[in-house]
Amino acid sequence: MTAFARRARASAGRMHPELSLVSYTLLGHLEERDGCRATDLAAHYALDKSTVSRQVAALERAALVERRLDPDDHRVQVLHLTDAGREILAQVTESRRAAFQERLADWPEEDLVRFAGYLVRYNAPGTDRP
């Protein structure tokens, strides 16, 4: 697991040196949810609000995220990906997909099926406990 995490951090750094793996995770969440509040990010990932605030500030400086007023409640700011944010996230996704395909290219079918089953089991609801 440590090697897997280390490899993920390294690949994130190659795509955009100023951004961390956490930043990419937040970008992915914003894309998936089509925007959300910073407090929602903190709650979803069980992160301190100050941590999320620093990450969001870096994403804003990189012009990957922008704040917009919530149309239903103008007191609330919602974070959204910019076009540049969508572009970098698409590049990272494609790069990761290519890396997985390369690493798994010579695996026999039965190993791929077993591996996929293990990943589904590992990511099943209720398995996010420490």
Side-chain angles (χ1 to χ4, degrees), residues 31-109:
E31 180 182 55
E32 188 177 293
R33 297 278 196 270
D34 195 26
C36 71
R37 299 175 306 162
T39 55
D40 296 333
L41 286 172
H44 181 78
Y45 290 105
L47 294 170
D48 187 78
K49 289 179 186 177
S50 65
T51 300
V52 170
S53 179
R54 283 190 302 277
Q55 295 292 328
V56 167
L59 293 171
E60 286 179 304
R61 281 192 304 276
L64 302 177
V65 168
E66 64 186 3
R67 294 175 190 264
R68 297 184 202 155
L69 290 178
D70 185 320
D72 298 325
D73 184 349
H74 292 290
R75 297 171 296 170
V76 175
Q77 292 186 339
V78 179
L79 301 168
H80 289 274
L81 293 181
T82 62
D83 289 341
R86 288 185 197 293
E87 173 85 18
I88 194 91
L89 195 57
Q91 289 173 4
V92 169
T93 300
E94 183 53 38
S95 174
R96 285 184 179 163
R97 183 173 290 127
F100 285 132
Q101 287 174 340
E102 183 180 319
R103 291 183 71 84
L104 301 174
D106 62 347
W107 285 33
E109 178 76 19

Side-chain angles (χ1 to χ4, degrees), residues 103-120:
R103 291 183 71 84
L104 301 174
D106 62 347
W107 285 33
E109 178 76 19
E110 60 272 8
D111 286 354
L112 289 171
V113 169
R114 192 172 19 251
F115 183 57
Y118 292 148
L119 287 173
V120 168

